[in-house]
Amino acid sequence: MKTRYLFLFIFSGALFLSSCKPFYQCGQVKPKRQLFVSERVQTVLGERDSLCSLADQRENEINSLNKTIAGLNGDVAGLYLSLKEQEKKYQDLTDEYQDLTDEKLSQSASFNLALQQKSDELSAKEKLILEREAALKELQQVISRQDSVTNRLNNILRDALLSFKSDELSVEIKNGKVYVSMSDKLLFKSGSAAIETKGKEAIKVLADVLDKNRDISILVEGHTDSIPIRTAVYRDNWDLSVARATSIVRILTEEYKITPIRLTASGKGEFSPRDTNTTPEGRARNRRTEIILSPKLDEIMQLLKTN
């Protein structure tokens, strides 16, 4: 009895093993003598078929999982490549950022240097402006002193020459200078450079004032009308105007000891008229000698040279 069961067990096991993959596909092998197989064998065969079906199912699942894994591996490879690209882009952006940072730092350094240079230039210009303002202020003070001297001299001369008529002599300030204008009827006869007595009186008064104000430069200008003159002594009005100016300079230097270096004689003939030459009155005003008195500009010139 035991031998029989043992035989059936061995036979069923061999049949089960022979019917499973990889030797045979499940469900394809049928026992040839099913009618003689016991109920136990049939149960074993059913279990075999169930296990084979489960094995097929698991194999399908494994294949599906393998495909999923392959897809995931592909995704991982794609992500790895994308990550590498992103890393390269990141590195490129980092390098570009560093280059831009270096460039901005360089530009900032250049800007700061240029700003410092401009600041230094501005400071230098401000210093120069302050120096020029100080020099201008000093120059204005000197000019103010010169104007004060001119006004004082004008007042002194007006007071000293009050005894002379207005058509003989006038005193006025023009362009910061005192103009003492003497008519020819006060000083000279027609066509002559010899000074008349009354003219010498006026020159004496003038010389007294000039002697007490020695910082005054003196320019003597002779003027005539436009009527031509030609004598044995004077070729034309220009000659006559120069001779008359020189006569006054000689009296001032020789008789009243005015330092010659202070004096200048010039003749302008008829070329600087005060009035029209078409009327006797106008021509009379044009025939004159102007003694132009100006404070010495040495201090002003020195300031201008210094600055």
Side-chain angles (χ1 to χ4, degrees):
M1 191 68 159
K2 291 181 180 179
T3 304
R4 182 180 176 185
Y5 284 127
L6 178 63
F7 173 78
L8 289 173
F9 178 76
I10 293 171
F11 175 78
S12 299
L15 185 62
F16 174 77
L17 292 173
S18 66
S19 65
C20 288
K21 291 189 280 187
F23 301 102
Y24 297 99
Q25 299 293 327
C26 290
Q28 292 181 356
V29 177
K30 299 291 183 180
K32 295 180 180 181
R33 301 175 63 184
Q34 291 183 1
L35 296 177
F36 303 99
V37 178
S38 66
E39 183 180 349
R40 177 65 178 168
V41 172
Q42 297 232 2
T43 300
V44 171
L45 290 175
E47 291 176 353
R48 183 207 63 179
D49 291 340
S50 177
L51 289 173
C52 285
S53 176
L54 181 61
D56 288 339
Q57 182 180 353
R58 292 291 181 265
E59 185 176 4
N60 290 334
E61 291 176 355
I62 289 171
N63 290 334
S64 177
L65 289 173
N66 285 335
K67 290 180 180 179
T68 301
I69 291 170
L72 291 174
N73 286 335
D75 292 342
V76 169
L79 289 173
Y80 179 77
L81 291 176
S82 177
L83 178 62
K84 286 295 183 183
E85 291 177 356
Q86 294 300 323
E87 287 179 349
K88 185 176 183 306
K89 288 181 179 179
Y90 173 77
Q91 186 60 45
D92 291 342
L93 288 173
T94 301
D95 294 341
E96 184 178 356
Y97 172 78
Q98 188 62 45
D99 292 341
L100 288 173
T101 301
D102 294 342
E103 182 181 356
K104 293 300 181 184
L105 288 174
S106 177
Q107 290 178 352
S108 177
S110 300
F111 175 77
N112 289 334
L113 179 60
L115 183 62
Q116 185 61 45
Q117 291 175 344
K118 292 297 182 184
S119 178
D120 293 341
E121 290 177 5
L122 181 60
S123 297
K125 289 181 179 180
E126 288 177 347
K127 181 180 178 182
L128 181 61
I129 289 173
L130 291 175
E131 291 174 352
R132 288 184 175 177
E133 286 178 348
L136 180 60
K137 184 177 181 180
E138 187 177 358
L139 184 60
Q140 288 173 338
Q141 291 173 349
V142 172
I143 293 173
S144 179
R145 289 198 298 271
Q146 301 285 14
D147 289 342
S148 177
V149 170
T150 301
N151 290 325
R152 184 175 61 85
L153 180 62
N154 178 67
N155 294 331
I156 291 172
L157 286 171
R158 282 181 178 275
D159 292 340
L161 297 170
L162 279 176
S163 59
F164 296 93
K165 297 178 182 180
S166 60
D167 61 343
E168 295 176 334
L169 185 149
S170 65
V171 181
E172 62 179 332
I173 294 177
K174 291 191 299 184
N175 303 320
K177 301 175 183 179
V178 178
Y179 281 69
V180 180
S181 181
M182 300 181 181
S183 67
D184 71 332
K185 72 177 182 177
L186 174 66
L187 295 173
F188 308 105
K189 291 182 179 179
S190 180
S192 171
I195 301 174
E196 296 293 296
T197 303
K198 194 172 182 179
K200 288 182 179 181
E201 291 175 3
I203 293 173
K204 180 181 184 304
V205 174
L206 179 62
D208 290 340
V209 175
L210 295 176
D211 187 53
K212 295 173 184 177
N213 296 271
R214 298 186 178 184
D215 290 332
I216 303 298
S217 296
I218 308 158
L219 171 62
V220 182
E221 284 184 351
H223 298 268
T224 68
D225 59 23
S226 61
I227 297 176
I229 182 176
R230 187 177 184 85
T231 67
V233 180
Y234 307 113
R235 178 178 176 181
D236 51 26
N237 282 327
W238 216 326
D239 273 355
L240 178 60
S241 65
V242 172
R244 286 179 170 178
T246 304
S247 294
I248 294 175
V249 166
R250 291 191 187 282
I251 290 180
L252 289 173
T253 57
E254 294 174 359
E255 295 186 19
Y256 301 107
K257 308 305 178 184
I258 302 298
T259 306
I261 196 172
R262 297 172 59 189
L263 288 153
T264 302
S266 71
K268 293 199 171 183
E270 70 266 27
F271 301 108
S272 293
R274 172 183 284 184
D275 206 334
T276 179
N277 279 299
T278 59
T279 64
E281 294 79 12
R283 289 193 295 271
R285 280 189 287 271
N286 290 335
R287 296 190 298 270
R288 69 199 187 278
T289 299
E290 290 185 339
I291 300 173
I292 304 168
L293 310 176
S294 56
K296 289 186 178 179
L297 302 178
D298 296 348
E299 190 175 0
I300 294 177
M301 296 306 297
Q302 186 61 38
L303 283 172
L304 292 174
K305 288 179 181 179
T306 302
N307 295 284

